[in-house]
Amino acid sequence: MGNGLARKGKKVLLIDLDPQGDLTTSLGYKNQDNMEITIKNIMEKVIQEKPISKNEGILQNAEGVNLMPANIELEALDISLVKYINKENILKQYIDNVKEDYDYILIDCRPSLGLLTINALATADSVIIPVQAQYLPLKGMTQLIQTIDKTRVQINPRLKIDGILLTIADMKTNLAKTTIETLRNSYGSRIKIYNTVIPMGVKAAESTIEGKSIYAYDKKSKPAVAYENFTEEVLKNSEKTRDRTTQCR
């Protein structure tokens, strides 16, 4: 989605908060384990109360998207965060320092609910929940939503769920149809289910291997068209939210 927003003229910062570094790799950085500065180093500087320049560690890929990368060293930080005071707000202190320079800051989280994910929830305005058309990922939805609700009450009262996005789906299969039906029946009354479904497609996998966005790799492919539609949905939702905020003032 970050590349889609950039194509719409938005200034975007992507933060890779997954020690696997898949987002970093997908943007064309294949040697992230040799990077001198990643989000792990930046968060350590926050903990140590060391100064951080606004552009420190931020990379810009060939398509104009800014990235704060990650690598496997972030795993050690996730484990050690528990011993620090105000451990849930370390990432927020960094983002507060750079957010005025961007229209959107997107945080890519690992598929677990450790302290790194809590840090992301503590600083975010909203959450988009991607759900694969599989049974096991769907099972974790209840726990994730409970964590989001708890974070809203205890740490970040402005946090909301923007919506649920079905991904890697083959809508010709009964599994995908059942997944979307279950999502609508279980959560549709309180959470937006995006109209866009990101289809399963070999072009998406190939673009990741090439380190290019799906737009740069094959802008006419079904995944590219779907991501374009999804970006439009997100922007329209953002505009409605801004309008409601203006009316309330």
Side-chain angles (χ1 to χ4, degrees):
M1 188 177 78
N3 285 287
L5 290 169
R7 282 164 56 86
K8 299 293 184 182
K10 305 300 182 182
K11 190 165 185 182
V12 180
L13 173 64
L14 304 181
I15 297 180
D16 193 345
L17 209 62
D18 186 342
Q20 292 187 37
D22 289 343
L23 174 61
T24 301
T25 302
S26 70
L27 289 177
Y29 301 100
K30 301 184 183 299
N31 296 312
Q32 64 261 44
D33 288 344
N34 296 322
M35 289 179 175
E36 293 184 7
I37 302 176
T38 66
I39 188 60
K40 181 248 189 185
N41 306 108
I42 295 298
M43 291 178 72
E44 285 180 335
K45 278 195 168 188
V46 172
I47 292 168
Q48 297 162 7
E49 299 183 350
K50 293 182 178 180
I52 303 168
S53 62
K54 282 194 174 183
N55 294 319
E56 186 172 349
I58 293 176
L59 308 173
Q60 186 175 79
N61 79 342
E63 297 175 59
V65 175
N66 285 6
L67 168 72
M68 175 58 71
N71 59 26
I72 195 62
E73 292 181 358
L74 187 59
E75 186 74 61
L77 181 63
D78 193 17
I79 296 170
S80 65
L81 279 175
V82 67
K83 66 185 180 183
Y84 296 111
I85 298 173
N86 202 24
K87 54 186 173 289
E88 301 91 352
N89 289 301
I90 293 169
L91 181 64
K92 182 179 185 301
Q93 293 179 60
Y94 167 67
I95 288 180
D96 284 348
N97 187 49
V98 300
K99 65 182 181 182
E100 65 183 24
D101 296 330
Y102 296 96
D103 299 309
Y104 289 89
I105 296 177
L106 307 181
I107 308 170
D108 183 47
C109 297
R110 66 191 309 173
S112 66
L113 296 175
L115 276 169
L116 287 175
T117 302
I118 298 300
N119 264 262
L121 296 176
T123 193
D125 296 308
S126 61
V127 180
I128 293 174
I129 303 174
V131 177
Q132 294 182 20
Q134 299 174 14
Y135 175 64
L136 289 177
L138 192 57
K139 282 185 65 178
M141 281 287 295
T142 299
Q143 184 182 2
L144 174 59
I145 291 172
Q146 288 175 346
T147 300
I148 292 170
D149 289 341
K150 186 180 294 185
T151 302
R152 181 188 302 113
V153 171
Q154 298 180 354
I155 303 173
N156 182 3
R158 71 182 183 280
L159 182 65
K160 63 184 179 69
I161 299 175
D162 266 355
I164 298 172
L165 173 69
L166 189 64
T167 67
I168 316 179
D170 181 354
M171 294 308 295
K172 296 178 181 179
T173 66
N174 289 331
L175 177 58
K177 293 175 183 177
T178 300
T179 301
I180 194 69
E181 183 179 355
T182 301
L183 286 172
R184 287 172 177 156
N185 291 339
S186 300
Y187 305 105
S189 62
R190 60 169 293 201
I191 301 174
K192 175 183 175 64
I193 311 294
Y194 287 105
N195 294 323
T196 304
V197 173
I198 308 300
M200 181 182 297
V202 67
K203 294 295 184 181
E206 289 174 353
S207 69
T208 299
I209 294 171
E210 291 294 321
K212 298 179 180 179
S213 74
I214 187 62
Y215 306 108
Y217 188 73
D218 187 349
K219 64 181 180 180
K220 295 183 179 180
S221 66
K222 289 183 178 179
V225 173
Y227 275 113
E228 183 80 12
N229 293 337
F230 175 56
T231 301
E232 291 286 353
E233 276 200 82
V234 169
L235 286 172
K236 287 179 181 178
N237 189 54
S238 296
E239 289 170 2
K240 289 178 181 178
T241 300
R242 283 198 298 269
D243 290 343
R244 286 197 297 268
T245 302
T246 301
Q247 290 168 3
C248 289
R249 287 180 179 175

